[in-house]
Amino acid sequence: MSFTLEGPVLEGALVRLEPLEHRHAAELAVAAEEERGTYEFTWVPRADEVADYVDAQLARAATGRLAPYAQISVATGRAVGATSFWEPRSWLSEDRLDAIEVGFTWLAGSAQGTGVNAEAKLLLFRHAFEVWEVSRVDLKTDARNERSRAAILSVGARFEGVLRNWSRSWVPGEDGRLRDSAIFSITAAEWPECRERLEKRVARYPGLTH
């Protein structure tokens, strides 16, 4: 595939997505140690694991399969989580991108429910559909993770089904086990309606200035 996966800075009113670098590690270590009760079905590094986590993400980026981001709160200027473009796929031509996944997403407890996730998805989806002109964006999560499934539905993705034993489990204590993955997607035809819904949702958050 001749398409090169590189994620540029994506700027919103609530969140700025910056390509992940080692300089983000200290703030991500703080963010990762906030309320961890929502991380039951996923893996989020502990503070002392963040440096290795950044190294691992940058190593994946070097393969051309991942474009990792730090999520920066515009209000505070601090990193409050991470997300990524992942698994670029070209089927019709090597010169263009046909599909991409958004994944490796986590947020500090204090950033959840603030509009950061909704606007981050708006920025990522908009770039994928309107700059890369993909036909599909997909998202997946542990099939048991009802919170994550609800969050994915809330940003306009459609549930496609559960793929059994689809990937490794990220649940602590489940090393060496496979998980069932719930698969969601947005297609290019659905994007205009999805974008309108997301823009209206983001605009409702307190303190947003236009």
Side-chain angles (χ1 to χ4, degrees):
M1 183 176 71
S2 60
F3 174 84
T4 301
L5 181 60
E6 294 178 346
V9 173
L10 300 176
E11 186 86 38
L14 299 171
V15 64
R16 182 174 64 258
L17 301 181
E18 296 180 354
L20 181 66
E21 298 178 5
H22 288 103
R23 63 185 175 86
H24 297 117
E27 292 177 358
L28 289 176
V30 174
E33 288 298 334
E34 291 186 14
E35 170 55 48
R36 295 180 62 90
T38 61
Y39 302 153
E40 180 181 5
F41 290 103
T42 191
W43 182 81
V44 175
R46 304 300 308 225
D48 61 356
E49 298 172 321
V50 167
D52 289 342
Y53 164 81
V54 173
D55 285 341
Q57 292 296 76
L58 295 180
R60 292 186 179 102
T63 70
R65 297 179 60 209
L66 183 79
Y69 282 102
Q71 301 196 63
I72 311 298
S73 166
V74 171
T76 66
R78 297 181 64 84
V80 294
T83 192
S84 295
F85 285 120
W86 173 233
E87 294 284 19
R89 298 179 312 277
S90 293
W91 295 308
L92 300 179
S93 167
E94 292 185 355
D95 296 327
R96 60 163 283 122
L97 185 67
D98 292 307
I100 193 78
E101 181 176 334
V102 170
F104 286 97
T105 300
W106 61 272
L107 279 174
S110 61
Q112 296 174 25
T114 65
V116 166
N117 179 62
E119 188 175 47
K121 293 300 190 293
L122 174 61
L123 296 172
L124 293 164
F125 296 164
R126 187 168 63 197
H127 188 79
F129 284 115
E130 299 180 13
V131 178
W132 289 334
E133 297 183 333
V134 300
S135 296
R136 169 191 172 95
V137 170
D138 44 84
L139 307 95
K140 65 177 181 286
T141 189
D142 191 306
R144 298 167 293 180
N145 193 340
E146 295 296 337
R147 182 187 181 95
S148 179
R149 290 175 65 157
I152 293 172
L153 288 171
S154 76
V155 297
R158 294 192 182 185
F159 175 60
E160 294 187 327
V162 173
L163 298 180
R164 296 176 297 168
N165 291 343
W166 179 250
S167 63
R168 63 169 289 185
S169 174
W170 294 96
V171 175
E174 291 189 357
D175 293 345
R177 293 177 57 182
L178 297 175
R179 76 176 195 188
D180 296 346
S181 291
I183 309 298
F184 301 78
S185 72
I186 302 165
T187 66
E190 296 162 349
W191 168 237
E193 180 182 354
C194 177
R195 174 176 175 164
E196 182 178 2
R197 285 178 55 191
L198 271 175
E199 288 176 339
K200 289 180 178 178
R201 179 180 169 191
V202 171
R204 292 197 296 266
Y205 282 93
L208 187 66
T209 57
H210 297 280

